[in-house]
Amino acid sequence: MPAHEHESDTTTDPLAHERAHLAASRAALRAMREDAQALNIRDVTANWVNAAVLQAQITDRIKSLADLSHTPLFFGRLDYLHVVGAEKAEGAEGEQFYIGRRHVHDADGDPMVIDWRAPVSQPFYRASRNEPLDVGQRRRFGYTGGELTAYEDEHLTDPAETTQTSKLLQAEIERPRVGPMRDIVATIQPEQDEIVRSELGGSVCVQGGPGTGKTAVGLHRVAYLLYAHRERLARTGTLVIGPNRSFLHYIEQVLPALGELEVKQATVDDLVTTHIEVRGTDEAPAAVVKGDARMAEVLRRAIRSHVTPPVEPVMVVRGSRRWRVPAYEIEEMVDELLARDMRYGAAHEALPQRIAHAVLVRMEEAGEAPDDRVQNAVARNPAVKAAVKAVWPSVEPAKLVLRLLSDPEFLAAQAEGLLTEDEQKTILWSKPARSVKSAKWSAADAVLIDEANDLVARTHSLGHVVIDEAQDLSPMQYRAVGRRCSTGSATVLGDLAQGTTPWSTQSWEQALHHLGKSDAVVEELTAGFRVPREVIAYASRLLPVISPGLAAVESVRESPGSLSVREVPGVEAPDTGALDAAVVGACEESLKQEGSTGLIAADARIPALAAALTAAGHSYLSPGEETTAESRLTLVPASLAKGLEYDYVVLDEPAAVVDGEPDERTGLRRLYVALTRAVSGLIVVHATRLPDRLTTS
């Protein structure tokens, strides 16, 4: 499967032919965009509302037709043995399709580039010598700076051709990273493609170690679902949830590169803080208890504790008549609503209608003929409203949580048999806030308020939600996300070995239960395409301690010399000046290579390293800031490294990364994350003794 470089410009040169097709395809895409821009809607809309909606759709269409110069319009070609969808007649000539990021057609409507998500494109990812799927030849294209410079052919039905690793595929995987996260559409592997194209109705959980492409697989799954179920998801909506803003900024260009512009992105905190402002923090023990699933039942009890049995009948006066509904009958209505386990707010709205209906029954028995308008009027009667207020009063979720965290007796009553006395003391505020506005709510408090909100009124559900770095969510956070896809589906992405929160999940079975998706299919990706074999093997020494039983990633990339572990000679107290100088030197060495460099260090070491870099004349970026050809060095606190990747990584003082966490296992997991951010090379610089697991193979 040789790769061919450009040698001549003759009309018989295949590369010249492919370049001509690329130029024609770009011209066709430009024409499609110009056609969209030229649309005149003045005579086809009935009113200004329809005009505004249509204009917004046209604007989105124009944006989606943008030709991104840095992303190839097509990356492959399929030569089928027969006409697709037709009977395989003897001697019939096959069809040829160019596979790319979006559909492009010529002036006659004939396709010039087929969207990678179309069924006819699937064999590009799935076809093999054992199962060619009617593909005679698969061609991959290589690009340099947006220019088509090489091609590589694979003849799937030629018994004389031996199976070889694609050099262009390898080069694309290893291409230096400058800027935001790239799409992997040209390099999707068969096992990844199966996940990407799985059905909308089913949820899927992807356990994937570093470099297995789980994040990109999840994003491409969203793009595929939007292609296959456009109208449905346009109505119900899609959402990508990431661990922090830096991560979301890093991935935000992937979907637009695939032509998808309408997918919202958020953190869990963004979802749950619409009603309050987070200004406080919890100690780890308090956050763990607040994030425990038992808090859902505590809140449920607290909400229902506001319901009190009626002690008096309701007397409704209409004109000269008085209608009496006895207390026992109202109590039966209350018991029935409680038994149905309706949302608290819905039951609050239903109770006056139930009482009014009882009054209407009495009216009919007395010979009257009341209608629905009379029932609604009775439901608004002051006596009925007063009875409902006494029996089933309104509840404000934030006030409810405020009371739980401030009132020891109220908390004890609702948490009896659920939380121990010590756990109750752990989450009680030492200084109760006076009001919802003055309270210094924490992120965990916001999740509790979100749960209480859902107990009062149902949370709106989206069609599909993607959750990345999901292993770090608490059970209550899983419930908050699950509410956003209660009638839809989810793609859960994560790595149990990278769980770095005190409440990180121990198993996907538990996580999916809390999410409300126990029937989700769990897929495991173990083939690594990003981290070099030498580097992932070194990091995997930590797995028996941080996640026993989890399979190590098997990297497909051999890169001799990609790992360097350097000790800075010191005394009993390490010379931080010498360490800082050695780290800066390692960064300078890495910056001589093409691509991005990330300097990762324990959060406490960041100020010293920032000063050392500045003193040496090096500017640097913060995580989430986009690297450019002129600015390729990013200074990364270990707490923000998850999900990011750099061509070269310099890791400062592993022991400090471990010591920066509340316990050793979490510290070693944080270190595992930091060790696996490199695409091409890793330099570990240390003055303190390395953790034991890294000193033995």
Side-chain angles (χ1 to χ4, degrees):
M1 188 168 43
H4 305 275
E5 300 293 335
H6 185 227
E7 296 174 355
S8 69
D9 245 349
T10 67
T11 56
T12 58
D13 180 7
L15 194 58
H17 171 76
E18 301 296 13
R19 284 176 168 172
H21 187 78
L22 177 61
S25 298
R26 289 197 183 282
L29 179 61
R30 189 162 54 249
M32 291 170 63
R33 183 178 170 89
E34 289 169 354
D35 287 346
Q37 290 172 325
L39 287 173
N40 187 338
I41 63 172
R42 281 179 298 182
D43 298 328
V44 297
T45 53
N47 53 57
W48 69 269
V49 175
N50 290 346
V53 171
L54 187 56
Q55 187 58 58
Q57 292 173 343
I58 292 172
T59 301
D60 288 344
R61 170 76 173 161
I62 293 169
K63 288 180 182 177
S64 72
L65 291 171
D67 186 1
L68 306 176
S69 59
H70 59 282
T71 56
L73 194 55
F74 58 78
F75 47 81
R77 194 184 90 187
L78 288 177
D79 293 359
Y80 277 90
L81 295 174
H82 303 86
V83 175
V84 174
E87 292 294 326
K88 298 182 179 180
E90 193 69 33
E93 187 177 343
E95 292 180 280
Q96 188 180 87
F97 296 102
Y98 287 84
I99 311 303
R101 285 168 170 75
R102 60 155 303 108
H103 175 84
V104 179
H105 60 253
D106 62 17
D108 297 323
D110 294 326
M112 301 189 70
V113 180
I114 300 293
D115 195 302
W116 67 275
R117 298 167 288 187
V120 75
S121 302
Q122 187 170 343
F124 184 80
Y125 305 107
R126 301 276 185 95
S128 65
R129 294 189 180 280
N130 293 333
E131 195 174 358
L133 301 176
D134 202 41
V135 174
Q137 176 181 285
R138 173 167 48 203
R139 173 170 287 182
R140 299 182 190 276
F141 297 107
Y143 288 81
T144 303
E147 182 183 359
L148 200 162
T149 54
Y151 70 91
E152 184 180 72
D153 289 339
E154 186 180 3
H155 301 92
L156 299 179
T157 55
D158 183 355
E161 186 174 283
T162 58
T163 301
Q164 298 178 23
T165 301
S166 166
K167 292 181 180 178
L168 290 182
L169 188 65
Q170 195 76 6
E172 174 63 20
I173 291 171
E174 297 177 3
R175 182 157 57 93
R177 277 118 167 102
V178 174
M181 180 180 179
R182 292 205 313 269
D183 63 75
I184 61 164
V185 66
T187 63
I188 290 173
Q189 299 300 297
E191 64 272 22
Q192 297 173 323
D193 189 63
E194 287 185 18
I195 296 169
V196 167
R197 295 176 193 264
S198 54
E199 282 303 309
L200 173 62
S203 294
V204 62
C205 173
V206 183
Q207 159 62 42
T212 55
K214 59 184 176 296
T215 296
V217 166
L219 295 174
H220 285 68
R221 175 158 160 73
V222 173
Y224 172 76
L225 292 175
L226 284 167
Y227 175 88
H229 307 279
R230 178 76 60 191
E231 291 187 8
R232 178 175 170 184
L233 288 177
R235 293 194 309 272
T236 56
T238 51
L239 175 68
V240 174
I241 299 173
N244 52 56
R245 284 273 133 213
S246 297
F247 178 83
L248 291 177
H249 182 72
Y250 178 63
I251 68 170
E252 67 184 358
Q253 292 305 314
V254 173
L255 289 167
L258 299 173
E260 298 302 341
L261 306 168
E262 296 303 312
V263 181
K264 292 183 173 59
Q265 298 180 356
T267 65
V268 174
D269 287 350
D270 292 334
L271 299 180
V272 301
T273 55
T274 54
H275 301 288
I276 60 153
E277 180 184 358
V278 171
R279 296 185 296 139
T281 55
D282 284 314
E283 295 292 331
V288 169
V289 176
K290 289 178 180 180
D292 193 289
R294 291 172 293 167
M295 289 301 300
E297 179 59 24
V298 172
L299 288 164
R300 181 175 174 276
R301 289 181 183 180
I303 291 272
R304 291 167 73 102
S305 72
H306 290 77
V307 179
T308 55
V311 294
E312 295 180 351
V314 174
M315 193 69 70
V316 176
V317 179
R318 283 186 61 80
S320 61
R321 303 295 299 270
R322 293 158 62 91
W323 308 99
R324 181 177 181 276
V325 183
Y328 77 85
E329 194 170 335
I330 298 172
E331 186 170 4
E332 289 174 357
M333 299 175 193
V334 170
D335 290 344
E336 195 243 332
L337 290 171
L338 288 171
R340 290 183 60 186
D341 206 21
M342 297 171 64
R343 291 294 195 282
Y344 187 89
H348 174 80
E349 296 296 324
L351 184 55
Q353 290 291 335
R354 299 287 176 91
I355 296 172
H357 179 71
V359 172
L360 258 67
V361 169
R362 285 162 171 74
M363 289 181 175
E364 289 170 349
E365 290 172 346
E368 296 189 16
D371 56 19
D372 289 346
R373 289 173 298 175
V374 174
Q375 179 167 326
N376 290 331
V378 172
R380 296 192 299 269
N381 184 277
V384 174
K385 291 169 71 173
V388 171
K389 185 177 181 180
V391 174
W392 204 293
S394 298
V395 172
E396 293 184 31
K399 281 188 177 181
L400 177 80
V401 175
L402 179 69
R403 185 182 174 193
L404 271 176
L405 300 178
S406 306
D407 185 339
E409 291 184 3
F410 184 60
L411 176 61
Q414 311 312 321
E416 184 179 358
L418 294 171
L419 304 180
T420 66
E421 289 186 14
D422 286 343
E423 287 174 324
Q424 293 174 36
K425 290 177 182 176
T426 299
I427 64 173
L428 279 166
W429 287 340
S430 55
K431 286 187 177 180
R434 291 183 177 180
S435 68
V436 169
K437 286 189 176 181
S438 66
K440 290 189 176 180
W441 299 108
S442 68
D445 296 334
V447 178
L448 297 180
I449 294 171
D450 190 71
E451 179 85 26
N453 268 308
D454 186 68
L455 288 165
V456 173
R458 185 182 298 278
T459 303
H460 173 68
S461 174
L462 299 167
H464 192 78
V465 172
V466 174
I467 318 135
D468 205 355
E469 301 297 347
Q471 73 281 342
D472 281 334
L473 300 187
S474 71
M476 291 298 286
Q477 286 176 316
Y478 276 116
R479 289 177 61 87
V481 174
R483 287 191 282 278
R484 270 76 186 180
C485 55
S486 59
T487 60
S489 56
T491 299
V492 181
L493 311 166
D495 180 10
L496 296 177
Q498 295 186 60
T500 51
T501 55
W503 49 80
S504 58
T505 190
Q506 301 304 307
S507 75
W508 291 120
E509 183 182 17
Q510 292 177 8
L512 294 170
H513 169 73
H514 296 311
L515 189 69
K517 304 293 181 186
S518 294
D519 58 347
V521 176
V522 180
E523 303 280 1
E524 188 169 6
L525 295 176
T526 57
F529 303 97
R530 177 173 58 78
V531 185
R533 188 173 298 172
E534 198 175 353
V535 174
I536 196 65
Y538 183 66
S540 294
R541 295 178 185 182
L542 300 173
L543 282 179
V545 176
I546 63 177
S547 198
L550 199 65
V553 171
E554 293 289 336
S555 179
V556 301
R557 294 183 52 212
E558 291 188 44
S559 184
S562 55
L563 173 67
S564 176
V565 182
R566 305 172 183 177
E567 183 175 5
V568 179
V571 289
E572 290 186 12
D575 180 358
T576 58
L579 176 62
D580 295 348
V583 169
V584 172
C587 289
E588 292 170 343
E589 182 180 328
S590 297
L591 287 168
K592 291 177 182 177
Q593 309 294 326
E594 186 181 1
S596 58
T597 294
L599 169 53
I600 303 177
D603 292 30
R605 287 273 295 146
I606 293 298
L609 292 173
L613 288 171
T614 301
H618 295 292
S619 61
Y620 57 87
L621 303 168
S622 297
E625 293 183 318
E626 193 168 317
T627 55
T628 64
E630 296 74 30
S631 188
R632 297 183 291 120
L633 175 63
T634 304
L635 180 56
V636 187
S639 63
L640 295 180
K642 193 173 296 180
L644 306 180
E645 60 182 23
Y646 303 93
D647 289 290
Y648 295 89
V649 166
V650 176
L651 176 58
D652 168 82
E653 200 64 276
V657 174
V658 177
D659 292 342
E661 300 298 328
D663 61 82
E664 184 184 32
R665 190 181 75 160
T666 304
L668 289 173
R669 285 182 167 185
R670 185 75 72 188
L671 177 58
Y672 179 74
V673 171
L675 286 167
T676 54
R677 300 302 96 200
V679 175
S680 297
L682 169 67
I683 301 175
V684 178
V685 185
H686 69 102
T688 306
R689 173 181 163 81
L690 291 169
D692 290 341
R693 282 282 170 174
L694 293 183
T695 59
T696 56
S697 57

